[in-house]
Structures are given as structure tokens and as C-alpha cells.
Amino acid sequence: MTFSSQQLLAFTKAIFVKIGFSEKDATLASKVLISADLRGVDSHGIARLAGYIDLWKAKRLNPTPHLQVVHETPSTATLDGDAGVGLVVAPQAMTIAIEKARQVGTGWVAVKNSNHFGIAGYHAMMALEDDMIGIAMTNASPIVAPTFAIDKMLGTNPIAVAIPALEQPPFVADFATTTVANGKFEILERQGKEAPLGWLQDEKGQPTSDPTARKRGGALLPLGSDRTHGSHKGYCLGALVDIFTAVFSGANYGPWVPPFVSYLPLVEPPVGEGIGHFLGAIRLDAFRPAEELKKHMDQWITRFRQAKATEGQQVLVPGDPERATEAIRREEGIPLMESVVEKLQLLAQEFKVSWP
Amino acid sequence: MTFSSQQLLAFTKAIFVKIGFSEKDATLASKVLISADLRGVDSHGIARLAGYIDLWKAKRLNPTPHLQVVHETPSTATLDGDAGVGLVVAPQAMTIAIEKARQVGTGWVAVKNSNHFGIAGYHAMMALEDDMIGIAMTNASPIVAPTFAIDKMLGTNPIAVAIPALEQPPFVADFATTTVANGKFEILERQGKEAPLGWLQDEKGQPTSDPTARKRGGALLPLGSDRTHGSHKGYCLGALVDIFTAVFSGANYGPWVPPFVSYLPLVEPPVGEGIGHFLGAIRLDAFRPAEELKKHMDQWITRFRQAKATEGQQVLVPGDPERATEAIRREEGIPLMESVVEKLQLLAQEFKVSWP
């Protein structure tokens, strides 16, 4: 079934209002969530709405947070999200980063006491509107085993960076620091298919192609898959995101990160508050005149697109596939899987909100 | 053959002095270079000395550069390396980043018109001495094919981040954004061994295990190896390093990056000056009291070391292997391969410097 982004925005907003969000916060949270559906990152869009509601039911999500800067320097700040949803907390943090960048060239905001923030790319791309470079990271539920580990110690810990160009569309990198995002396994499981080797390991730390292994003590693997192919580098990246988002801010890190699914218990005692994000903004003229930077970004992008490709392929620039998907979905609507629609209809009934 | 770091430092310094470096620059450049040998990154140490000398002979390395800040904001600066060697230019850039961080919390310096800077880890770790977090990146000779590409567009573009702890040794990540560093292929070639699939592709962009393929139109692969295992993420990382180091600073990027080996031609006309670096420093109290941050780094490190490991293995913290190697080599000396010693002896003869 296919829905317009307007339909999904209105529905999502209505649900958030029902659990106590202000009009403004509900609008913003919906916009961030549906931006994932528009960009083709279906796992992080409206399919997760019920998950956020479950967190609220478990009293782990505060619908009316009082956000507060608890520490700062001219180029940095730490924001306490007051257990608000990351969908609202992260944009606020990015706004502070942008303001700091305006003052001193760059701005960096670490966030504690937050919840899942949707797609990292949305927050990084906020900076584009102010003609700045944006960076966004978050830590997440521990489902990834570091190199040589059996224990799950890290989340898929994504990194997003958005850099504007002049004539060309912006460069937007947005990727999990694992071989694949968790959502891929859910799809394979539903289809009864196997995963390629190198995506996950079983409860003994051995390679497996069974996507259900992750529910029986298995784990996702860092980018690189195994030691021979550089998984220790993917582990480094995931670790850096964990430290920048949570050790910097005072959030929970590593195996202490509160799971997104509300039925999993928290690890007690916690080492921090909620989950952590890290947002950055860099003024375009921080290092050279803005116009020069943009022209060279154009040239970078154009040259990479022209690179000779293997048969039948094309060399892409980060952000190309998501932008193409967004253009199609704004035109033709957002397809939702049957199972997702069913879940949303249940939410509609429960909260007496009309489903489109 | 095994040599003490003092012997190699003295020799390297003497050679740099012979080509016109000041005493101070020669001392620093040698220290950076030999730090690679001490840490076990043999490919980036004294084995490269002849390569730097060749660049000088090709008039692509200025032994007496006049470094100049050409652009700045309170938290950022751009340094023109005046064709100096990165071994000297990057520490100067890091010193500026540290000074900026002292003033406004963080400091970020983009560098243009530089040359190869040795191991990224050295420069990142400089910040530790000032009780700060250090970040270092550089772009490098294009030998890596982006996902789906046949053309070589990126270097191995490493990222290093050093974060201090309290009781624990610092967390030091230092990794190329490819599956493996280029040096590994040289070793395999010398031994007549094959490379694991996923490390490189041939001239048609097909997987190959022949390490010599990279000399016949083949290319190294981004971290992730192939699209299925996330090579597009490794490509994103390498691209980000290229943009931060070179598009920010005004250096050459992508296929325009001047090759380290002096016998390869430059791509004319250039799009910038020399190669680019990016250095960052973050004050420990930028986001929370420094003591708190260090205590939580201790806890992060301890917890990760305690993670349950697969049979016969141990979960490491980034920086552990290099620190272990350094401890051994400071004690027992630095082993150099026959072929490296022979090259150095030739340099010794040529410059009338005594070889230890």
C-alpha cells in the first residue's frame, strides 16, 4: 500500500500529540521520522512509531522534556535531553551547534538523556539550510560484537555528514558502522532468506548466514566483517561514535545503552543518562572562502560521478540513492509493508486517530 | 637486523639535515617517522625515508618551508605547508589546533600544500600531552577504487583519534579507510603469497587475490570490500577524509592527489596545492568536567577488555597492539628487513652519513 508523505506526517503527528507532545514537537518529530521513509530508510521511519510509543508507555520517553544546556565553551555544549525523544532533542542540539559555528567557526554539541533520533542524515542535513556542513552521530542498543568478541557491546552507531556544493546537490553520507543496518535482517527473516556470510555471527562468535541467530545470542558484525577484512576498523568507528556521543555527554555507553525495544530490561546500575548523540556544524568559510569550497565540492562530485565504472554500474556520490528515492516517493507516495500498516492501524484504534 | 630507535633516529635526522632541514625540523621529522617503526607500522617508518628523499630530488619537497596560516576563525585555521614535509607540517598544525582548543574548546586545522605525514596516530597523540583529545587525517596517492569504480580515485586516507583515560592507557584508533594498508601487499608480493579475496580488484574491477594486480590497473578496495559487505561505507569514509583534508584546505583531492612515489607524474592542471591534512583538538572539559570524562573512559576501556571473547582470543581496545609492540621494540630494538637496510645503506653512502 502506498501513502503520501502528508498522510503519514498527519497521522504520526496526531499520535505524538495524543501521548502529550506539544504541537510544535509533534510536527518536528513527525517530519524527522517521515524523512526516513521519504529517503528510503524504511527501517527508521514510521515503521518505528509503535516502538516510540512503547517507550513512552514504559515511562522511558518524556513527551514534554525541558531541554537544558548543562555545560559549554564557545565552540561546544552539552545538552540534557530530559528523556525526550531524539527526534526532537537532536534538532535542538543541531540548532545550538549552528549558532556556535556562527560565532566561532564550528559548533559541537554532545547530548545525553535522549532517545532514538531517527535517521542521522536528517540532523546532519539541517546544517545545509544555514549553508553549513553538518555532522550527526548517535549510539544505539548494543547488538554488535567487537572483533574477537562474543558479547554485544556496541550499537549500529551511525555517522552522517552533509556538505553543500554550488550547482551540484549536496554530498550526504549516512551510514551505520556495521556491515548492514539491523533492518535488513528483519526483512530477510520475514522472507525466510539467508544472510550473506560476513553480516553476523552466532552465539559462539562463528560466522553464520541464519538471520535469526541474532535472537539466539548472535551479533551483528562491525564494518569489515572479520579481522582479515578489517572488522577492527569498523569496531574502532563504532567505538568512536559511542565515546563521542556518550562518554563525552554523560549518556550510557557500550552494553549499558538502553535498548530501543521497551520490553528489554535496562542494565542496572546505569553509567549515564539515556542514550547519547553528537552533532556538529562547520561554517563554510571556516577554512577558505565559502564560494571556493562550494566550487571545489562541485568539481569533486562531478569528477567522482565520471569515474570509469564496472560493466552496467555507475559510480555514485554519497546521498545520490536517497535523493533519487525521495524524488520518486514525493511523486508516487511511500510504500508501506502490510505488517507495518497493520501495526499502525492498531495504534490508530488505540489512540482514536483516523488512519488514512 | 635489529636497531635501537636511537640509532634510527640519529641516522634519519642526519639524512634530513643533509638535504637542508633545520636541526629542529630534522629532529621532529625523525621522531615522527621512527614512531611508526616503534609502533609496528613498519610501512610508514624508516622504510619510507628514501621516498621522502626522492620527493626532495624531484623538487616536490621543500626542506625549509615557511608555514603560514592563510585563513582562520576562533576555532579553525588553514595552514599553508609551503611544500614542506607532512612530518613537520602536521605537528605544527596540531599545535595551532591545540592552542585554539585552549581558547574556545575545540580547534580544527586544515592543511594544504603538504607532503606525506607518516603515521596519523603520532599527530593525534600529540594532543594527549596537553590533556586533550586529538584527531588526525590525511589524504594520499589515489590507489583505491570507490564502490563500482574501476578508476582509482582515493588514497588509503587514514583517520586517527586519541582519547586519554585516567588509570588506563589512552584509546588510540589509527586506521586506513581501506580493508588493509598498502604495505601489506608489498609484503605479500615479496613473499610470493596471494592476498585474501576482498582486498583488491583487477583492471576490470573484478575481485582478485593477485597482489601484483594493483600494478596492472587494479586497485585497493574501501573498507567493506564489496557492495554486499558495505564497501560503499568505506568509500564514504575515504571520501570524507579527502574532502576534510583537501577540499576544506585547498589541497589536491581525489585523482589529483600527487603520488608519494616521485617517479609517477602529477595530474595537470592541479586542483589545489600539494596534499591535505586535517587536525583537530578537543579540550577534555569541552563537554563535561575532565576528571569525569577520564573516569568514564577508564570504565569504557575496562568493560570492553572484559567482553567475552571467542576461543583463544581477547577483545582489544584500539591502541593496545601498537602499545604492546612499542614496549617490546623500545626494549629489544626495531627489526628491519634486509631490503630496507640495503636501501638505507645506499642513502648512507650517497649522503656520506654513517650507517649504524
Side-chain angles (χ1 to χ4, degrees):
Chain A
M1 272 166 287
T2 299
F3 301 86
S4 73
S5 60
Q6 289 78 6
Q7 287 176 313
L8 299 185
L9 278 168
F11 176 77
T12 306
K13 181 184 165 184
I15 295 286
F16 280 135
V17 166
K18 286 281 183 178
I19 67 165
F21 278 40
S22 68
E23 274 284 315
K24 196 178 142 215
D25 282 0
T27 303
L28 176 58
S30 312
K31 193 178 163 199
V32 178
L33 205 64
I34 304 307
S35 78
D37 293 298
L38 277 169
R39 293 175 69 75
V41 192
D42 299 352
S43 56
H44 284 54
I46 197 165
R48 289 225 173 159
L49 181 57
Y52 289 101
I53 305 305
D54 287 344
L55 282 181
W56 167 74
K57 287 177 182 165
K59 300 204 188 317
R60 283 175 46 201
L61 189 154
N62 178 1
T64 55
H66 175 58
L67 307 190
Q68 222 177 333
V69 170
V70 292
H71 191 100
E72 66 183 318
T73 74
S75 72
T76 65
T78 302
L79 185 68
D80 182 337
D82 194 22
V85 69
L87 303 168
V88 168
V89 176
Q92 182 58 34
M94 186 47 114
T95 303
I96 298 168
I98 288 168
E99 190 45 47
K100 297 226 168 233
R102 221 185 297 284
Q103 300 297 324
V104 296
T106 65
W108 308 92
V109 179
V111 180
K112 67 172 176 179
N113 206 1
S114 186
N115 275 296
H116 200 282
F117 78 6
I119 51 167
Y122 177 93
H123 309 295
M125 289 172 76
M126 274 180 68
L128 299 176
E129 286 161 40
D130 288 272
D131 220 16
M132 291 191 190
I133 291 152
I135 298 168
M137 311 176 193
T138 187
N139 69 0
S141 320
I143 56 173
V144 181
T147 305
F148 302 141
I150 287 175
D151 282 351
K152 289 173 282 222
M153 304 292 283
L154 291 167
T156 51
N157 296 6
I159 301 172
V161 183
I163 308 173
L166 194 63
E167 314 272 340
Q168 295 293 324
F171 172 109
V172 182
D174 182 3
F175 55 93
T177 52
T178 46
T179 50
V180 285
N182 196 32
K184 299 250 172 149
F185 295 102
E186 289 162 15
I187 296 169
L188 288 174
E189 228 181 299
R190 221 174 284 123
Q191 301 173 329
K193 286 188 184 160
E194 296 214 317
L197 282 178
W199 283 18
L200 78 167
Q201 65 181 30
D202 65 16
E203 75 283 3
K204 286 178 182 156
Q206 298 305 310
T208 178
S209 56
D210 179 358
T212 66
R214 74 212 149 90
K215 292 180 177 169
R216 287 175 284 103
L220 269 65
L221 296 173
L223 180 59
S225 298
D226 56 35
R227 180 63 180 77
T228 302
H229 294 87
S231 68
H232 53 300
K233 302 176 185 198
Y235 162 37
C236 276
L237 277 172
L240 285 169
V241 171
D242 197 36
I243 292 168
F244 273 58
T245 58
V247 180
F248 282 13
S249 69
N252 289 292
Y253 43 81
W256 286 280
V257 176
F260 179 67
V261 286
S262 59
Y263 55 82
L264 282 179
L266 301 176
V267 180
E268 299 285 0
V271 292
E273 296 172 83
I275 76 166
H277 315 313
F278 189 79
L279 289 301
I282 302 175
R283 230 163 61 198
L284 284 196
D285 65 349
F287 298 101
R288 68 193 299 186
E291 197 76 1
E292 260 182 52
L293 182 89
K294 285 180 165 186
K295 279 188 186 158
H296 281 282
M297 278 308 297
D298 270 3
Q299 186 155 4
W300 193 99
I301 290 167
T302 310
R303 181 65 188 84
F304 274 70
R305 282 232 184 82
Q306 289 165 348
K308 194 176 164 196
T310 53
E311 181 105 25
Q313 293 290 2
Q314 193 188 345
V315 178
L316 301 175
V317 167
D320 283 352
E322 294 87 353
R323 197 173 46 254
T325 302
E326 181 163 349
I328 294 168
R329 292 190 171 185
R330 281 199 185 276
E331 189 79 19
E332 300 175 5
I334 295 165
L336 294 183
M337 284 185 303
E338 190 69 31
S339 59
V340 170
V341 172
E342 280 165 17
K343 253 194 193 168
L344 292 170
Q345 285 171 332
L346 286 178
L347 272 187
Q349 280 170 27
E350 183 179 354
F351 288 98
K352 302 190 178 33
V353 168
S354 70
W355 172 247
Chain B
M1 272 166 285
T2 299
F3 301 86
S4 72
S5 60
Q6 289 77 5
Q7 288 176 313
L8 299 185
L9 278 168
F11 176 77
T12 307
K13 183 184 162 185
I15 295 285
F16 280 135
V17 166
K18 286 279 181 179
I19 67 165
F21 278 39
S22 69
E23 273 285 315
K24 197 176 144 217
D25 281 359
T27 303
L28 176 58
S30 312
K31 192 178 163 199
V32 178
L33 205 65
I34 305 306
S35 79
D37 293 299
L38 278 169
R39 292 175 70 74
V41 191
D42 299 351
S43 55
H44 284 55
I46 197 165
R48 289 227 173 158
L49 181 56
Y52 289 102
I53 304 307
D54 286 344
L55 282 181
W56 167 76
K57 287 179 185 167
K59 300 206 188 313
R60 284 174 47 199
L61 190 154
N62 177 0
T64 55
H66 175 59
L67 307 190
Q68 221 177 336
V69 171
V70 292
H71 191 101
E72 67 182 318
T73 74
S75 72
T76 65
T78 301
L79 185 68
D80 181 337
D82 195 21
V85 68
L87 303 168
V88 168
V89 176
Q92 181 58 31
M94 186 48 114
T95 303
I96 298 168
I98 288 168
E99 190 45 46
K100 298 228 168 231
R102 222 186 295 284
Q103 299 297 323
V104 296
T106 64
W108 309 91
V109 179
V111 180
K112 68 172 175 179
N113 206 1
S114 186
N115 274 298
H116 200 282
F117 79 6
I119 51 166
Y122 178 92
H123 309 293
M125 289 172 75
M126 273 181 69
L128 299 176
E129 286 161 40
D130 288 272
D131 220 16
M132 291 192 191
I133 292 151
I135 298 168
M137 311 177 195
T138 188
N139 70 1
S141 319
I143 55 173
V144 181
T147 306
F148 301 141
I150 287 177
D151 283 350
K152 288 173 281 221
M153 304 292 284
L154 291 167
T156 51
N157 296 7
I159 301 172
V161 184
I163 309 173
L166 194 64
E167 314 271 341
Q168 295 293 325
F171 172 109
V172 182
D174 181 3
F175 55 95
T177 52
T178 46
T179 51
V180 285
N182 196 32
K184 298 250 171 149
F185 295 101
E186 290 162 17
I187 295 169
L188 287 174
E189 229 180 298
R190 219 173 285 125
Q191 301 173 332
K193 287 188 183 164
E194 296 214 315
L197 281 178
W199 283 18
L200 78 165
Q201 66 181 28
D202 65 17
E203 75 283 4
K204 288 180 181 154
Q206 297 306 309
T208 178
S209 57
D210 179 358
T212 66
R214 75 213 150 89
K215 292 181 177 168
R216 287 175 286 103
L220 269 65
L221 295 173
L223 180 59
S225 298
D226 57 35
R227 179 64 181 76
T228 302
H229 295 87
S231 68
H232 53 301
K233 302 176 185 198
Y235 161 36
C236 277
L237 277 173
L240 286 169
V241 172
D242 196 36
I243 293 168
F244 273 58
T245 57
V247 180
F248 282 13
S249 69
N252 289 293
Y253 42 81
W256 287 280
V257 176
F260 179 67
V261 286
S262 58
Y263 57 82
L264 282 179
L266 300 176
V267 180
E268 299 285 358
V271 292
E273 297 172 83
I275 76 166
H277 315 312
F278 189 80
L279 290 302
I282 301 175
R283 229 164 60 199
L284 284 196
D285 66 349
F287 298 101
R288 68 193 300 186
E291 196 76 2
E292 260 182 53
L293 182 89
K294 285 181 164 182
K295 278 189 185 158
H296 281 282
M297 277 309 297
D298 271 2
Q299 186 154 6
W300 193 100
I301 290 167
T302 309
R303 181 66 188 83
F304 274 69
R305 282 232 183 82
Q306 289 166 350
K308 195 178 164 194
T310 53
E311 182 104 27
Q313 294 290 2
Q314 194 187 344
V315 178
L316 301 175
V317 167
D320 283 352
E322 294 87 353
R323 197 173 44 255
T325 303
E326 180 163 350
I328 293 167
R329 292 190 171 185
R330 281 201 185 276
E331 189 79 20
E332 301 174 6
I334 295 166
L336 294 184
M337 285 185 305
E338 190 70 29
S339 58
V340 171
V341 171
E342 280 165 17
K343 254 195 193 167
L344 293 170
Q345 284 170 332
L346 286 179
L347 272 186
Q349 281 170 27
E350 182 179 354
F351 288 98
K352 303 191 177 29
V353 168
S354 70
W355 171 249

